[in-house]
């Protein structure tokens, strides 16, 4: 969540807000219906979410959803991320109903952008925060596992949302916020990958707008979402870390 110009007064606040959103604390909103997804043609670098490769066996036939304990074990440990300060912690979601709820966002069709980074509807999910040594704004990841073909359905809903969602407003822990959405080219990782950036003006910071990048990768029946927050020049979550994390998720689902 990015606060409105009148609400966000320091870069420290931007850091807290962006990481809180990436870890799902701004997504406990009232349920709302999203627009019905119409068929789309995936990009050449992104396979169809509903048509497995002829050389790839059906994930539903070879893997049960990963548990919270398994996802925690697959997350990065101390000594594995030299770019970040330690300790590296992995957090499970808080008990259901314990989080504060907020009104629905202004554009229901944008809801999948929020759901994906909070692990909404998942069988299990965990969050990890990275306090970078060279970026005080930090980054985070969400690792989520889903039952059946739910991961493919969630990814398809996100793909459809990104064709129409250009901006939305809402309310979070820091007050009202508004963001502009911009799609980007994702790294070629996993079975499917998408990337987008949410931008919000920060009047009190001479460096520029608050910008948070999200890279979303589906591997089998898991979805990993990586976020990177910055003010001024756009920064990206390290691709090498994304590849390593996605590879771990892939290996964990092998028969």
């Amino acid at each position: 969540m990015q606060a409105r110009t009148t609400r966000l007064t320091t870069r420290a606040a931007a850091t807290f807000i962006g990481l809180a959103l990436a870890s799902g604390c701004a997504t406990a909103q009232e349920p709302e219906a999203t627009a019905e997804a119409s068929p789309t043609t995936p990009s050449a670098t992104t396979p169809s979410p509903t048509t497995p490769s002829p050389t790839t066996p059906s994930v539903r036939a070879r893997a049960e959803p990963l548990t919270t304990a398994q996802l925690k074990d697959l997350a990065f440990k101390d000594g594995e991320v030299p770019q970040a300060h330690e300790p590296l912690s992995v957090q499970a979601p808080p008990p259901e109903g314990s989080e504060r709820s907020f009104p629905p966002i202004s554009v229901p069709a944008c809801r999948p952008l929020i759901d994906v980074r909070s692990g909404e509807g998942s069988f299990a999910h965990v969050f990890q925060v990275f306090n970078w040594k060279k970026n005080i704004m930090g980054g985070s990841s969400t690792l989520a596992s889903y039952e059946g073909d739910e991961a493919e359905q969630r990814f398809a809903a996100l793909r459809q949302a990104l064709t129409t969602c250009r901006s939305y407003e809402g309310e979070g822990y820091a007050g009202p916020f508004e963001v502009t959405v911009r799609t980007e080219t994702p790294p070629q990782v996993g079975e499917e990958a998408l990337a987008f950036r949410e931008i919000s003006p920060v009047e009190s910071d001479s460096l520029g707008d608050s910008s948070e990048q999200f890279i979303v990768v589906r591997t089998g029946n898991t979805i990993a979402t990586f976020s990177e927050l910055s003010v001024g020049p756009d920064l990206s979550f390290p691709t090498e870390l994304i590849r390593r994390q996605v590879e771990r998720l892939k290996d964990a689902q092998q028969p």
Side-chain angles (χ1 to χ4, degrees):
M1 66 186 114
Q2 287 87 0
R4 288 183 190 271
T5 303
T6 56
R7 293 295 198 275
L8 190 57
T9 58
T10 66
R11 273 190 285 168
T15 304
F16 169 79
I17 291 168
L19 294 182
L21 177 56
S23 61
C25 73
T27 62
Q29 303 183 29
E30 295 299 324
E32 57 184 317
T34 57
E36 182 177 353
S38 59
T40 58
T41 302
S43 65
T45 59
T46 307
S48 168
T50 57
T51 307
S53 166
T55 60
T56 303
S58 171
V59 171
R60 292 189 294 276
R62 62 180 172 86
E64 293 296 320
L66 298 175
T67 65
T68 299
Q70 288 174 308
L71 291 172
K72 281 186 174 182
D73 188 58
L74 293 169
F76 290 115
K77 312 294 189 302
D78 286 350
E80 295 183 331
V81 187
Q83 306 97 313
H85 294 288
E86 296 181 350
L88 295 177
S89 62
V90 185
Q91 304 172 12
E96 187 175 354
S98 64
E99 291 185 294
R100 178 181 167 190
S101 63
F102 298 101
I105 59 174
S106 61
V107 183
C110 294
R111 179 71 196 205
L113 279 66
I114 297 177
D115 287 346
V116 70
R117 60 213 194 222
S118 64
E120 181 68 24
S122 64
F123 176 80
H125 62 280
V126 298
F127 307 109
Q128 187 162 37
V129 174
F130 302 92
N131 295 309
W132 305 123
K133 296 177 180 178
K134 294 185 178 181
N135 175 22
I136 63 171
M137 295 298 156
S140 69
S141 67
T142 302
L143 309 181
S145 65
Y146 296 82
E147 296 181 283
D149 62 355
E150 184 68 18
E152 290 142 329
Q153 293 182 23
R154 292 275 172 178
F155 202 92
L158 174 63
R159 185 191 300 281
Q160 175 63 22
L162 287 174
T163 66
T164 59
C165 181
R166 297 294 175 262
S167 64
Y168 65 90
E169 299 179 10
E171 182 179 342
Y173 285 99
F177 65 87
E178 56 184 43
V179 298
T180 299
V181 179
R182 187 181 77 208
T183 57
E184 296 184 338
T185 301
Q188 296 187 29
V189 292
E191 295 179 45
E192 301 183 274
L194 293 168
F196 62 96
R197 193 175 293 272
E198 296 190 351
I199 303 165
S200 181
V202 184
E203 186 178 72
S204 61
D205 200 315
S206 60
L207 292 179
D209 296 338
S210 169
S211 172
E212 188 162 17
Q213 181 201 52
F214 296 92
I215 296 176
V216 187
V217 183
R218 184 183 71 80
T219 304
N221 58 8
T222 66
I223 294 179
T225 303
F226 306 88
S227 72
E228 183 78 0
L229 181 64
S230 57
V231 172
D234 292 342
L235 299 178
S236 299
F237 196 96
T239 301
E240 182 267 337
L241 290 182
I242 294 176
R243 294 188 189 281
R244 285 166 54 195
Q245 183 65 86
V246 169
E247 192 67 23
R248 290 185 181 184
L249 294 171
K250 175 184 176 182
D251 291 345
Q253 297 177 79
Q254 297 304 313

